[in-house]
Amino acid sequence: MNNSTPSAGVYANGNDNKKFKGDRPLCSPSRVLHLRKIPSDVTEAEVISLGLPFGKVTNLLMLKGKSQAFLEMASEEAAVTMVNYYTPVTPHLRSQPVFIQYSNHRELKTDNLPNQARAQAALQAVSTVQSGSLALPGAPTNEGTILPGQSPVLRIIIENLFYPVTLEVLHQIFSKFGTVLKIITFTKNNQFQALLQYADPLNAHYAKMALDGQNIYNACCTLRIDFSKLTSLNVKYNNDKSRDFTRLDLPTGDGQPSLEPPMAAAFGAPGIISSPYAGAAGFAPAIGFPQATGLSVPAGLGPGALGPLAITSSAVTGRMAIPGAGGMPGNSVLLVTNLNPDLITPHGLFILFGVYGDVHRVKIMFNKKENALVQMADANQAQLAMNHLSGQRLYGKVLRATLSKHQAVQLPREGQEDQGLTKDFSNSPLHRFKKPGSKNFQNIFPPSATLHLSNIPPSVTVDDLKNLFTEAGCSVKAFKFFQKDRKMALIQLGSVEEAIQALIELHNHDLGENHHLRVSFSKSTI
């Protein structure tokens, strides 16, 4: 985009409109997003609320006459996460579907445009999200900031419990705000309660802001949410009362029914959501996922109900991807498309997807080498890898990941021509999540330009590491060792794409003295 200030007309009639044939994000990623089919009576705050869970919204342009808007996020990463989230699950504003894709514009310049005062006022109102207080339409804005040392554990009480709420339902709702590590449910003072631990206190903060006071089903099952005094949960058993999503090896416990696939008692009773969008017995579900982020309050509803909670039908039949659910783990195979056929290898995909789970097998298609199948250890890991990696750039192309219809990756038969394109990694020593309760479960972050390096031997210097990354074709912007532990460091590279390629190339690189470099994406910057 050139630096001249575009008129509203340039935006409205520009080449963004030509991309709307298939409602898929076709342009390369940009931090500016183009929204279509916006209801005419929608407010600026409602449009902004679509972006809030993913990061700071830095600008907004509404084209009400054309039912369109442009939303600028603070970073391209936030925009990619947002598009990835909304591609499989269309967001709704005022009960109408809204379509989102990347804009051709790299930034939004609106200084000289008319009618921008309201948009700027709305942005001002919600910029408090940075200090931790989500200014939602209809929500109090005096919730204060996220405090140092705030717990990642939420205490949840469910009032008006006219219908049973299962651990799965809680997991599905709260997962929209971040990685849920553990859940314990119990009854106390005749009230159904739960403790839920996130990977990061910030996730807990946003979930509390958005969900406290909401109803799971219309007019009943109201969530009351507080921070727990506990900072970590200790789960002994994986069953329908408690679950540790980082420990697949826990027993179900004596006398506890294990989760057999037909969770009939939990899901078959009248009144539980029995189809994706219908609430039984006249109780329509009330929280806006996956329809919306749960932050956009539809017209005419108070902050008490937020559009339908679509518990996917797979969850209803017990096919949720739940460790220990036995029998039907959901799909753990991903179809990865739009790869660079000249540069991609099974090992490269193994290392990259291995950041988000243990990769068992990889198959690059013999006749169409830009496509590959990646089989993860379970459906949770497949979902996590898909959410974090789809839409990222790798070797100059925007990678796409979706769930495959295949249940497993087949190895080639003896003597079958394969050119080494299918590899079995199930016994690889490089799996990050094999160890039950591994700290790696708590350090899963989206791709970022800053990498976390560990297992560095004492003799290796700053220059050694900088040179290693430079030789791999990266531009090193900043570097620092951890003060307390020189075995670890952060390195900031020129772009997220560079960092992804460096991770593929240099994770497990032999630094000598029997030390192999470990590389992960960092949530910090230098």
Side-chain angles (χ1 to χ4, degrees):
M1 176 179 163
N2 62 19
N3 288 327
S4 63
T5 304
S7 69
V10 170
Y11 276 115
N13 306 318
N15 38 12
D16 285 284
N17 283 336
K18 293 181 189 143
K19 294 279 191 284
F20 293 146
K21 298 285 182 287
D23 287 346
R24 288 283 174 195
L26 299 177
C27 317
S28 63
S30 159
R31 67 193 183 102
V32 179
L33 299 172
H34 188 187
L35 286 64
R36 288 181 300 128
K37 300 210 175 156
I38 288 179
S40 56
D41 52 350
V42 103
T43 66
E44 282 80 1
E46 284 171 280
V47 176
I48 291 168
S49 74
L50 291 176
L52 275 185
F54 308 97
K56 187 174 165 89
V57 178
T58 46
N59 209 346
L60 170 71
L61 176 65
M62 303 274 278
L63 301 172
K64 290 210 167 158
K66 298 202 175 287
S67 305
Q68 296 178 22
F70 289 84
L71 195 68
E72 180 187 87
M73 302 299 287
S75 70
E76 190 178 294
E77 282 168 62
V80 167
T81 310
M82 180 170 163
V83 170
N84 288 349
Y85 181 83
Y86 287 132
T87 300
V89 289
T90 307
H92 285 58
L93 286 173
R94 310 250 170 156
S95 307
Q96 290 187 38
V98 175
F99 299 98
I100 299 183
Q101 64 177 45
Y102 301 116
S103 164
N104 289 339
H105 302 295
R106 302 285 116 186
E107 61 177 326
L108 215 44
K109 290 219 162 102
T110 55
D111 308 349
N112 306 340
L113 296 183
N115 308 325
Q116 267 301 95
R118 285 183 54 177
Q120 294 310 313
L123 285 164
Q124 205 53 47
V126 294
S127 68
T128 47
V129 68
Q130 288 312 95
S131 61
S133 57
L134 277 170
L136 300 185
T141 54
N142 57 351
E143 295 288 354
T145 56
I146 182 160
L147 303 168
Q150 186 167 293
S151 170
V153 179
L154 295 175
R155 185 178 61 120
I156 302 154
I157 296 175
I158 299 182
E159 297 175 350
N160 307 324
L161 190 71
F162 299 155
Y163 290 113
V165 172
T166 61
L167 185 143
E168 282 72 36
V169 169
L170 291 174
H171 182 256
Q172 182 136 6
I173 295 169
F174 283 83
S175 289
K176 303 302 171 196
F177 293 87
T179 305
V180 174
L181 301 182
K182 302 170 191 179
I183 304 178
I184 298 171
T185 63
F186 54 96
T187 302
K188 186 177 174 184
N189 306 334
N190 286 334
Q191 278 183 317
F192 179 71
Q193 303 194 17
L195 292 167
L196 182 144
Q197 182 180 344
Y198 277 108
D200 189 293
L202 199 61
N203 303 127
H205 182 80
Y206 284 156
K208 178 180 184 298
M209 296 277 105
L211 296 176
D212 188 23
Q214 305 299 345
N215 298 329
I216 296 178
Y217 307 103
N218 273 353
C220 73
C221 303
T222 310
L223 293 163
R224 299 283 173 227
I225 304 173
D226 277 306
F227 291 105
S228 168
K229 292 189 172 64
L230 299 168
T231 52
S232 182
L233 299 179
N234 181 18
V235 174
K236 294 190 174 70
Y237 303 114
N238 279 343
N239 53 43
D240 55 357
K241 301 281 189 292
S242 62
R243 193 80 41 85
D244 183 336
F245 294 92
T246 67
R247 296 273 312 263
L248 309 192
D249 59 321
L250 290 178
T252 56
D254 292 333
Q256 286 282 8
S258 65
L259 279 166
E260 287 309 313
M263 294 189 240
F267 281 113
I272 286 291
I273 304 169
S274 55
S275 73
Y277 296 106
F283 278 79
I287 293 184
F289 306 130
Q291 291 278 73
T293 58
L295 298 185
S296 45
V297 179
L301 294 176
L306 287 177
L309 156 58
I311 296 284
T312 53
S313 44
S314 65
V316 176
T317 54
R319 293 176 62 106
M320 283 256 311
I322 295 175
M328 291 160 58
N331 198 353
S332 57
V333 180
L334 294 171
L335 170 65
V336 186
T337 55
N338 204 34
L339 295 164
N340 183 327
D342 301 324
L343 295 170
I344 201 65
T345 63
H347 179 78
L349 288 170
F350 164 68
I351 294 292
L352 177 58
F353 281 75
V355 173
Y356 299 106
D358 292 339
V359 176
H360 285 194
R361 290 179 179 175
V362 176
K363 181 188 219 62
I364 292 175
M365 303 300 191
F366 186 74
N367 295 327
K368 196 163 194 256
K369 294 191 173 62
E370 52 269 25
N371 293 354
L373 294 172
V374 177
Q375 183 178 337
M376 308 294 289
D378 63 44
N380 268 342
Q381 296 182 0
Q383 192 70 45
L384 204 58
M386 181 173 90
N387 291 350
H388 283 303
L389 293 175
S390 191
Q392 299 289 351
R393 289 183 79 83
L394 174 63
Y395 302 127
K397 300 190 72 166
V398 178
L399 169 157
R400 296 266 165 252
T402 53
L403 288 173
S404 165
K405 60 180 187 294
H406 297 283
Q407 293 299 312
V409 169
Q410 300 299 322
L411 294 175
R413 293 187 301 279
E414 284 291 319
Q416 190 180 347
E417 175 72 55
D418 181 65
Q419 298 178 352
L421 295 175
T422 308
K423 287 269 196 284
D424 185 288
F425 295 100
S426 45
N427 296 318
S428 168
L430 295 185
H431 287 162
R432 295 176 188 242
F433 304 101
K434 265 238 171 83
K435 264 207 228 126
S438 160
K439 276 216 167 63
N440 290 342
F441 280 104
Q442 296 174 36
N443 293 313
I444 295 175
F445 302 112
S448 57
T450 304
L451 295 172
H452 178 278
L453 312 179
S454 58
N455 204 28
I456 302 166
S459 61
V460 168
T461 65
V462 175
D463 286 344
D464 291 336
L465 288 164
K466 281 186 175 175
N467 290 341
L468 182 66
F469 280 82
T470 308
E471 283 160 20
C474 304
S475 52
V476 177
K477 301 290 182 201
F479 181 94
K480 77 164 190 207
F481 276 114
F482 278 57
Q483 279 179 322
K484 294 190 176 126
D485 186 354
R486 247 189 113 275
K487 290 201 283 291
M488 297 197 288
L490 293 178
I491 188 163
Q492 191 175 332
L493 304 177
S495 67
V496 177
E497 183 178 7
E498 273 189 23
I500 290 173
Q501 287 162 209
L503 182 138
I504 289 173
E505 200 161 321
L506 297 175
H507 179 63
N508 200 45
H509 179 84
D510 189 350
L511 291 172
E513 301 174 47
N514 210 7
H515 282 64
H516 286 79
L517 182 66
R518 292 183 60 81
V519 184
S520 310
F521 297 115
S522 171
K523 66 171 175 182
S524 316
T525 48
I526 302 175

